[in-house]
Amino acid sequence: MATGTERPPLNTGVHDTSRAAITARHLRTDRWWLAPAATAAGLLAFIVYSTWRAFGNAHYYAAPYVSPFYSPCLAQNCETMKGGPNLEIFGGWWGISPALIILVFPLGFRMTCYYYRKAYYRSFWASPPACAVAEPHKKYSGETRFPLILQNIHRYFFYAAVLVAVILTWDTVLAFRNSDYEWGHMGLGTILMVINIALIWAYTISCHSCRHVMGGKLKHFSKHPVRYRLWGWVGKLNHRHMQLAWASLISVALADFYVYLLASGVFDDPRLF
């Protein structure tokens, strides 16, 4: 159909020669760019903060609290945490921040997460930036080529994330002590640790990979009632995966920052009992 307009220079996607020759990149009149811009700002803020803290290699332990960025501490140059996860798998040859070892796993889990793929594909790569807005790329290969084909290892990062969550759960249990390692105490940091680990577990088990583990390969749900029920519970959480992703991202940053404030001597942990 002739429209009386000149055809755009691109010959792919919505500007293919078989489509209507519309010169505008899109016909949306709303502020469609706000969502990807806000997502980019949020993710960028966390990247900057976590990078600063990971390379800082200081102020990550204030008894009995340990920063989730530095747990488990796998290097010999870690601060001694009584009862904490001092595994020291990496010996004295590891001279830089121990956080750089462990953060590979939770960050790998989040970066390959289905929601975060959508978030940074739209926000940083404009692929596409919003619904009914054409992406600027001439070619699209999806996740079939390097490096995006590495997204397929998400299921393996899920198992590593579960292990990290178990260790952070132990850290939360240890938070029910005072600075002298005596049990039966609770401070403001304890509450933050409990909230953080609850959100981390909720985000982890609401993952699509977890849902697949629960019931993805079952042919007859009636023959596996327990797994079917678990699959249903995970499915309900999966509907809130985006919200849980952001909530847990904020909570882990807040927990780390709180430990940083305590360890750097800004104030003392308020004790409830």
Side-chain angles (χ1 to χ4, degrees):
M1 178 186 297
T3 61
T5 60
E6 295 182 0
R7 188 171 298 282
L10 295 179
N11 292 319
T12 58
V14 295
H15 300 294
D16 187 83
T17 54
S18 62
R19 303 288 187 95
I22 301 175
T23 56
R25 294 289 298 178
H26 58 81
L27 300 179
R28 293 185 61 166
T29 58
D30 62 321
R31 297 180 179 178
W32 58 267
W33 49 269
L34 282 178
T39 301
L43 292 177
L44 187 60
F46 181 81
I47 291 171
V48 172
Y49 174 78
S50 59
T51 301
W52 167 63
R53 287 292 291 137
F55 281 95
N57 196 19
H59 306 308
Y60 56 84
Y61 182 63
Y65 309 123
V66 56
S67 163
F69 287 1
Y70 285 81
S71 181
C73 213
L74 303 179
Q76 197 177 67
N77 62 346
C78 295
E79 293 187 26
T80 301
M81 298 177 286
K82 187 174 181 180
N86 293 82
L87 303 181
E88 300 184 1
I89 296 176
F90 291 74
W93 61 272
W94 185 270
I96 57 179
S97 174
L100 299 177
I101 306 174
I102 190 59
L103 281 180
V104 171
F105 301 105
L107 287 180
F109 176 60
R110 287 183 182 266
M111 288 184 66
T112 58
C113 164
Y114 288 103
Y115 166 68
Y116 280 110
R117 295 186 206 182
K118 168 189 170 182
Y120 61 75
Y121 282 2
R122 288 188 171 186
S123 302
F124 294 100
W125 296 348
S127 182
C131 294
V133 178
E135 59 180 79
H137 312 289
K138 293 184 178 181
K139 295 182 179 179
Y140 176 73
S141 60
E143 297 175 347
T144 61
R145 297 180 181 179
F146 183 84
L148 296 185
I149 195 173
L150 296 178
Q151 302 283 25
N152 293 316
I153 63 176
H154 176 63
R155 69 192 71 179
Y156 303 109
F157 274 121
F158 165 71
Y159 299 123
V162 169
L163 180 59
V164 172
V166 169
I167 295 175
L168 293 181
T169 302
W170 175 241
D171 291 342
T172 304
V173 173
L174 295 180
F176 286 89
R177 304 178 299 176
N178 60 17
S179 57
D180 296 321
Y181 305 105
E182 298 171 337
W183 288 95
H185 299 274
M186 175 184 286
L188 178 58
T190 309
I191 297 177
L192 293 178
M193 298 280 279
V194 170
I195 294 174
N196 179 54
I197 193 58
L199 289 174
I200 286 178
W201 272 116
Y203 166 65
T204 303
I205 63 178
S206 68
C207 168
H208 296 76
S209 292
C210 181
R211 189 167 182 260
H212 179 74
V213 169
M214 292 298 105
K217 292 185 177 181
L218 297 182
K219 296 182 178 180
H220 305 284
F221 283 135
S222 59
K223 296 182 179 179
H224 304 274
V226 175
R227 290 186 61 186
Y228 174 66
R229 185 175 294 273
L230 292 174
W231 178 79
W233 288 343
V234 173
K236 291 179 181 179
L237 278 177
N238 185 257
H239 287 295
R240 298 287 183 267
H241 196 49
M242 180 186 73
Q243 293 87 343
L244 292 171
W246 279 105
S248 59
L249 193 73
I250 294 172
S251 71
V252 73
L254 286 177
D256 170 81
F257 188 63
Y258 187 79
V259 174
Y260 168 78
L261 294 177
L262 295 180
S264 58
V266 175
F267 59 83
D268 295 327
D269 182 43
R271 287 287 164 177
L272 303 180
F273 59 83

